[in-house]
Amino acid sequence: MSTLEIVAVLISVIGVTLTVLRNMWCWWFNFIAFLLYGYLFYTYKLYGETILQAFFVVVNFYGFYYWLKGKQTDHDIRIEPLAPQTALFQMLIAAVAGLSFGLILKHFTDAAVPMLDAQLAAFSLLATYWTSRKHIATWMLWVVVDIVYVGMFIYKALFLTAVLYAAFVGLAAFGWWQWERVKGKQDVARSA
């Protein structure tokens, strides 16, 4: 456990908590966390996760812009629906992209766990995209992805990061519950 890992964990907890609360500051804390974890994962030969952090930076700016643009006058972020067919199609794309990326990592790098690393990276990108689009489905996907991450980080002896991702499972479940509650209120307000 390094100082870098400790700081990255703390910044990540703040960022995800602010995301659950639909607070615009989440994007800035997440940006810093992505940079810190990008470097940390590189040192542990988790190249899929390293590249993922770079993608997160790009999606982070998109998410910030999209949330800022979509803010309502009551300063509450409006939660948007996601059609099941769209979700399944996007998950299929993520799986194929993860497989392709995993094969590249396996054959052209010394990645520690190339296939798992690549699949987690692909589905994390999808979950981040869903977060930027304000879809509740993001939290369901994060619960599953974060559970698998816990195992991978234990395997790589990144124990503090494994604890962080275990906490992310709880935060994602809470985010799911909280966003469902808010969506219900928004639906009632819209129909009134």
Side-chain angles (χ1 to χ4, degrees):
M1 176 176 357
S2 67
T3 303
L4 174 62
E5 186 180 11
I6 293 168
V7 172
V9 164
L10 293 174
I11 298 294
S12 294
V13 167
I14 294 168
V16 171
T17 301
L18 291 172
T19 304
V20 167
L21 298 174
R22 299 171 341 276
N23 184 301
M24 291 294 292
W25 280 98
C26 71
W27 300 104
W28 298 109
F29 280 94
N30 290 334
F31 174 75
I32 294 167
F34 301 150
L35 295 177
L36 294 172
Y37 265 113
Y39 180 73
L40 180 70
F41 290 147
Y42 179 78
T43 64
Y44 277 80
K45 296 185 179 186
L46 292 170
Y47 302 128
E49 298 311 308
T50 303
I51 292 169
L52 175 63
Q53 301 310 305
F55 280 113
F56 277 170
V57 167
V58 173
V59 174
N60 195 65
F61 285 112
Y62 169 77
F64 176 78
Y65 169 76
Y66 194 82
W67 277 32
L68 189 63
K69 182 180 89 164
K71 247 182 159 179
Q72 297 179 343
T73 55
D74 65 358
H75 301 291
D76 198 12
I77 300 300
R78 179 161 172 63
I79 296 167
E80 301 293 336
L82 176 63
Q85 305 91 323
T86 302
L88 289 173
F89 179 70
Q90 291 174 351
M91 290 175 71
L92 179 62
I93 290 172
V96 170
L99 177 63
S100 301
F101 184 45
L103 292 171
I104 290 168
L105 289 177
K106 182 177 180 179
H107 294 293
F108 297 105
T109 73
D110 62 344
V113 283
M115 298 308 286
L116 180 60
D117 191 12
Q119 285 297 330
L120 287 170
F123 279 97
S124 293
L125 277 176
L126 178 58
T128 301
Y129 173 72
W130 284 355
T131 301
S132 73
R133 302 296 294 182
K134 302 173 282 185
H135 299 312
I136 289 176
T138 190
W139 298 114
M140 297 172 223
L141 185 53
W142 277 125
V143 166
V144 173
V145 168
D146 289 341
I147 288 169
V148 179
Y149 267 124
V150 169
M152 184 177 77
F153 292 135
I154 289 171
Y155 174 75
K156 288 301 295 173
L158 287 165
F159 299 115
L160 188 56
T161 300
V163 170
L164 170 68
Y165 277 73
F168 282 171
V169 172
L171 280 171
F174 177 72
W176 185 357
W177 172 80
Q178 207 253 357
W179 280 34
E180 284 285 356
R181 219 179 85 227
V182 169
K183 184 180 181 303
K185 289 178 184 177
Q186 289 175 349
D187 289 346
V188 167
R190 191 175 359 168
S191 64

